Amino acid sequence: MNKGTMELFCVRLMRNQHRCLPAYLTRSFQTSHCRQRQSTTRRTLPSTELYSTNTCRILRQPETTDSVCQLQLRPSSSQRQLFSSENVRTVLFPVGTPRPDPAVHCLPVIWLPKHGQNFFHTSAPHRALPAPLIWLVLKPLQKIVAIILGRSIRKWWWALPPNKQQLVRQKVWRRRWQLVAGGMVAMVIMASFFLTHLDESPITGRTRLLVFSRENYMELATVTGDGYMEEFAELMVPEKDPRHQVVERVVEHLAQRNKDIPEVSSVPWRVHLVDSPTINAFVLPNGKVFMFTGMLEAVADVHQLTFILGHEMAHAVMGHSAEQASMSHVVDFLSLILLTAIWAVCPRDSLAVLGQWIQTKLIQFLFDRPYSRKLEAEADQVGLQLAAKACADVRAGPVFWQQMEISDQLRGEPTVPEWLSTHPSHRNRVAQLDRLVPQYLELRERCSCPALPATDPRAVFAQSVKVLLDATRDLEGEAGKSLKPQALSQTPTSDHRRAPHPGGLATALLASSATGSPPALTLDTATHL
């Protein structure tokens, strides 16, 4: 230890105490020698005293007891005049605490100042970056390190003469069992890591791997939310806008009806409506709801809006972002070993680049995208449950995805195979929701919700599509050519895709809520777009 430095050690505890209080010394302190207390009256001490002799007389014990810490000082040459020896042992006492027991060996002491006389200085706390954000930054660097390592191994191997290469092979063969044992130990460590990071998903109870905690992603969501607020600052719809009020009421009603779920009741939900034709909506883990006006125009009624918001809230409630990042983190870590091997084994860089591209695509199609589709399907299920408890018509959920399928066909968008997509196909989503509808209709009844109309919206939509196709065939037969988009937009049965007057759905929903109940429950109609 260099001269002039001080090191604090905890030597013992006083009675009924289990911890030693930390202390920090300033460079300026007062010194005095320990003296024998002759009277029984209590002497008033200065705010800070340092008794610096190695041997001192016995001190009498005061009334109260706190804690004691040992301090070891190694003074510099300029400070040696204050001490009688090179290594001084002192004991630290907070003011208002008792002196040590007379039987205890008397050591030099420091009396801390009373409350309000604190002369210590501490640095301002620094907030650490969220762990997921650090991982996102280091993720590309890990691949670069793996590539450099694999390429270095390849260059080193080819630089060896043939006889040394043969010696290396023989050495590896002689130690093959040690290498096998090392691999088994690594597998045991990885298995232990997986087992200690298993978590039970809320609501569904599914066992999953969770490396990043919910708290980590709450911190990341705060940073991400601030970024989105800056990005959409000029597109934000005012809170007094009817469209914003409708979305806000539906979110509040969903949260109120599902407050028995801790992950729902513990989050402060806040709505942000973005004026953009993009058909999208998402919810951050900290409860910030971002919805685009294009999504409001895509839904046909408030029941579909409730289902969509329930789907997005389910992602946040289930912690899907943390779960997906955890799985991606583990897969990426394992892929680094394979990436290093590719660059070490391939004889040329061009072949290594090709092998890396193949590896990336295999990981995408075998792990990332199937897992993403799994989480989307789970969000559909949980979103339907949240909507059912909010007394929405759960039969409107499958209809929404049928509308989206028809909309994509009318816009001429190419159909992507499901195995290439991060989301299930519209048709598979409809099939899954149709299987779940009876179950959540029963849940809706148990939640004391008002009765639904006898007309099933799925049957109404199927009939509308049939009429639309019949009208299209008639027009094709009469004109002898394909139906133009202008003619299609004038077909009476295509009202479900016609763009409404701005705020039309929102105004209708708010007008229907005169009784004070949420619009998702009081509106008994389907406002076609």
Side-chain angles (χ1 to χ4, degrees), residues 215-226:
E215 290 73 18
N216 293 142
Y217 257 81
M218 285 294 184
E219 298 176 1
L220 181 60
T222 302
V223 178
T224 306
D226 294 340

Side-chain angles (χ1 to χ4, degrees), residues 144-366:
I144 295 176
V145 171
I147 292 173
I148 294 175
L149 177 61
R151 195 171 185 273
S152 301
I153 294 174
R154 185 184 64 194
K155 294 294 184 181
W156 167 80
W157 176 258
W158 288 110
L160 292 177
N163 58 336
K164 289 190 176 181
Q165 291 182 359
Q166 184 63 26
L167 291 175
V168 171
R169 292 191 185 97
Q170 294 176 357
K171 187 175 182 180
V172 170
W173 178 253
R174 288 196 301 268
R175 299 185 177 181
R176 61 187 182 276
W177 297 116
Q178 289 91 332
L179 296 176
V180 171
M184 295 180 65
V185 170
M187 293 178 63
V188 170
I189 294 175
M190 292 178 60
S192 302
F193 175 82
F194 292 151
L195 293 175
T196 55
H197 286 81
L198 292 179
D199 181 72
E200 184 175 318
S201 178
I203 301 179
T204 60
R206 175 177 53 86
T207 302
R208 59 183 179 176
L209 178 68
L210 202 63
V211 177
F212 301 113
S213 65
R214 183 181 178 87
E215 290 73 18
N216 293 142
Y217 257 81
M218 285 294 184
E219 298 176 1
L220 181 60
T222 302
V223 178
T224 306
D226 294 340
Y228 282 128
M229 293 299 294
E230 294 180 3
E231 180 181 354
F232 304 133
E234 299 179 357
L235 301 175
M236 286 295 177
V237 176
E239 294 184 0
K240 295 184 179 180
D241 190 285
R243 296 170 295 177
H244 187 283
Q245 294 180 25
V246 165
V247 178
E248 189 172 28
R249 285 192 180 186
V250 173
V251 170
E252 289 176 355
H253 186 71
L254 279 167
Q256 176 65 25
R257 296 287 296 188
N258 293 275
K259 63 181 180 180
D260 58 311
I261 303 174
E263 290 78 10
V264 175
S265 58
S266 62
V267 175
W269 303 98
R270 183 172 178 81
V271 174
H272 303 282
L273 185 61
V274 183
D275 189 5
S276 172
T278 305
I279 303 177
N280 191 21
F282 59 90
V283 179
L284 299 180
N286 60 353
K288 285 191 174 183
V289 181
F290 289 86
M291 173 164 279
F292 297 84
T293 54
M295 179 61 77
L296 282 180
E297 297 177 359
V299 296
D301 53 46
V302 72
H303 303 289
Q304 292 185 11
L305 178 61
T306 306
F307 166 70
I308 291 301
L309 287 172
H311 169 91
E312 298 301 335
M313 291 173 65
H315 280 303
V317 170
M318 304 289 289
H320 282 170
S321 56
E323 180 180 350
Q324 192 167 13
S326 299
M327 179 59 67
S328 178
H329 179 69
V330 173
V331 172
D332 287 342
F333 176 76
L334 297 177
S335 66
L336 291 177
I337 302 174
L338 180 59
L339 182 61
T340 304
I342 290 174
W343 279 88
V345 172
C346 293
R348 293 192 300 271
D349 290 347
S350 58
L351 294 177
V353 171
L354 178 61
Q356 181 181 351
W357 180 83
I358 295 174
Q359 178 207 14
T360 303
K361 294 304 178 183
L362 288 176
I363 292 175
Q364 284 182 359
F365 297 139
L366 296 180

Side-chain angles (χ1 to χ4, degrees), residues 415-431:
T415 303
V416 180
E418 186 179 74
W419 62 276
L420 291 176
S421 176
T422 58
H423 290 62
S425 64
H426 297 321
R427 189 165 300 178
N428 287 342
R429 285 183 128 165
V430 170

Side-chain angles (χ1 to χ4, degrees), residues 203-204 253-254 257-258 261 301-315 317-318 320 375-401 428-447 449 452 456-458 521:
I203 301 179
T204 60
H253 186 71
L254 279 167
R257 296 287 296 188
N258 293 275
I261 303 174
D301 53 46
V302 72
H303 303 289
Q304 292 185 11
L305 178 61
T306 306
F307 166 70
I308 291 301
L309 287 172
H311 169 91
E312 298 301 335
M313 291 173 65
H315 280 303
V317 170
M318 304 289 289
H320 282 170
L375 297 182
E376 289 293 332
E378 186 178 54
D380 280 343
Q381 176 182 354
V382 176
L384 202 65
Q385 176 179 337
L386 299 180
K389 294 174 68 175
C391 297
D393 189 349
V394 294
R395 299 173 298 181
V399 175
F400 173 78
W401 293 118
N428 287 342
R429 285 183 128 165
V430 170
Q432 180 198 12
L433 292 175
D434 279 334
R435 291 193 299 267
L436 295 173
V437 161
Q439 172 185 348
Y440 291 114
L441 283 176
E442 295 178 0
L443 174 63
R444 187 181 183 279
E445 293 178 0
R446 293 197 300 269
C447 294
C449 294
L452 291 173
D456 193 331
R458 294 173 292 180
L521 305 180

Side-chain angles (χ1 to χ4, degrees), residues 13-175:
L13 303 178
M14 296 299 291
R15 296 176 181 177
N16 302 326
Q17 296 294 325
H18 300 283
R19 293 184 179 179
C20 185
L21 296 177
Y24 303 87
L25 296 178
T26 60
R27 294 183 178 179
S28 59
F29 45 79
Q30 299 176 352
T31 61
S32 62
H33 290 285
C34 175
R35 296 180 177 87
Q36 174 70 31
R37 301 182 67 182
Q38 301 294 340
S39 62
T40 58
T41 60
R42 188 171 182 176
R43 183 170 59 92
T44 302
L45 296 175
S47 61
T48 306
E49 290 187 6
L50 175 66
Y51 297 87
S52 57
T53 56
N54 278 333
T55 58
C56 66
R57 301 170 186 176
I58 298 178
L59 300 178
R60 295 187 179 182
Q61 184 174 1
E63 301 174 357
T64 59
T65 303
D66 209 341
S67 61
V68 58
C69 293
Q70 176 182 349
L71 178 68
Q72 186 176 14
L73 302 177
R74 292 182 181 270
S76 61
S77 58
S78 61
Q79 297 171 326
R80 289 181 185 176
Q81 57 183 351
L82 301 177
F83 304 94
S84 59
S85 65
E86 188 70 15
N87 186 8
V88 180
R89 294 171 55 85
T90 63
V91 178
L92 182 67
F93 293 93
V95 169
T97 60
R99 305 291 178 88
D101 189 84
V104 179
H105 176 67
C106 184
L107 298 174
V109 297
I110 293 178
W111 296 94
L112 295 180
K114 295 182 179 180
H115 180 71
Q117 300 178 349
N118 186 16
F119 61 90
F120 300 130
H121 173 72
T122 58
S123 301
H126 296 281
R127 186 177 180 180
L129 293 175
L133 183 59
I134 298 176
W135 169 73
L136 291 175
V137 173
L138 296 179
K139 184 177 179 179
L141 296 179
Q142 294 174 354
K143 291 186 177 181
I144 295 176
V145 171
I147 292 173
I148 294 175
L149 177 61
R151 195 171 185 273
S152 301
I153 294 174
R154 185 184 64 194
K155 294 294 184 181
W156 167 80
W157 176 258
W158 288 110
L160 292 177
N163 58 336
K164 289 190 176 181
Q165 291 182 359
Q166 184 63 26
L167 291 175
V168 171
R169 292 191 185 97
Q170 294 176 357
K171 187 175 182 180
V172 170
W173 178 253
R174 288 196 301 268
R175 299 185 177 181

